[in-house]
Amino acid sequence: MNKLLFALGLAASMTWTAAASAATPATPATPAKPATPAAKQLSRHRTAGMPESARQYYARTWGVDQLSAKLAESGQLVRFNYRVIDAVKAAPLNVRASSPQMLDAKARVSLQVPTMEKVGPLRQSMAPENGKIYWMVFSNKGNYVKPGDRVSVLIGPFRVDGLVVQNY
């Protein structure tokens, strides 16, 4: 019985498919569009975030998580964010005397935190509190750092490698 129902269903579907294709007018084949040089090729390399083992390292050693680097202001700035989960361990990240750097090996640049005349450095340097998100901005004048680039951030003894820059 099952074989009979299967055969009838198969025959009906073939008949329906043939009738549908006969009813559709033939359309001339459109030539394939040439590939544009601006077409992006997908990278075979993983561009996902940081591995879980690295996340655990920064959480245990430095008391921070949710590390990210994002382009802002039409690419002229790169914003580095982190969330404090242990204020005592994260204290070195907020020391005013340290001069943070963002390194991009691909572009061969070292970005600095700009200092505004009336505001001072574009970074937070108050005492860290658990659960709060802190940021600092690096000047990317010339748009050397692009989305998808992997960067390193150095703040005193703290160093994070392999952050993927994202669009804001």
Side-chain angles (χ1 to χ4, degrees), residues 4 7 19-21 26 33-34 43 65 73 75 78 91 93 95 111-113 118 141 144 146 152 154 156:
L4 178 64
S21 65
K33 292 182 182 177
S43 174
D65 66 356
E73 299 300 324
V78 183
L93 278 75
V95 173
L111 306 180
Q112 307 295 322
V113 173
K118 294 183 181 180
K141 192 171 182 180
Y144 293 109
K146 309 257 188 261
S152 300
L154 290 84

Side-chain angles (χ1 to χ4, degrees), residues 2-168:
N2 285 340
K3 288 182 182 179
L4 178 64
L5 288 175
F6 177 75
L8 287 173
L10 183 62
S13 68
M14 288 179 8
T15 306
W16 181 76
T17 306
S21 65
T24 307
T27 57
T30 57
K33 292 182 182 177
T36 61
K40 254 189 174 178
Q41 290 187 357
L42 297 176
S43 174
R44 65 181 177 182
H45 302 289
R46 194 178 124 193
T47 59
M50 189 179 298
E52 186 59 33
S53 59
R55 284 190 185 110
Q56 291 174 2
Y57 166 77
Y58 292 114
R60 278 190 247 127
T61 307
W62 294 102
V64 294
D65 66 356
Q66 297 181 2
L67 302 163
S68 67
K70 296 181 180 182
L71 288 176
E73 299 300 324
S74 301
Q76 295 292 313
L77 300 172
V78 183
R79 181 180 168 129
F80 171 64
N81 293 331
Y82 58 94
R83 184 177 69 139
V84 172
I85 55 176
D86 185 343
V88 174
K89 291 179 182 178
L93 278 75
N94 291 34
V95 173
R96 282 184 186 227
S98 65
S99 58
Q101 296 180 345
M102 179 176 282
L103 306 174
D104 186 344
K106 182 178 173 185
R108 296 181 179 186
V109 294
S110 173
L111 306 180
Q112 307 295 322
V113 173
T115 303
M116 306 303 285
E117 189 176 309
K118 294 183 181 180
V119 179
L122 293 180
R123 65 179 285 201
Q124 291 174 306
S125 57
M126 64 199 77
E129 294 180 36
N130 292 341
K132 291 201 175 185
I133 295 177
Y134 293 86
W135 57 269
M136 61 184 63
V137 177
F138 294 91
S139 175
N140 188 25
K141 192 171 182 180
N143 293 338
Y144 293 109
V145 177
K146 309 257 188 261
D149 285 1
R150 290 191 175 271
V151 295
S152 300
V153 176
L154 290 84
I155 307 168
F158 173 80
R159 181 181 179 120
V160 60
D161 292 315
L163 283 177
V164 178
V165 177
Q166 303 165 355
N167 278 326
Y168 212 95

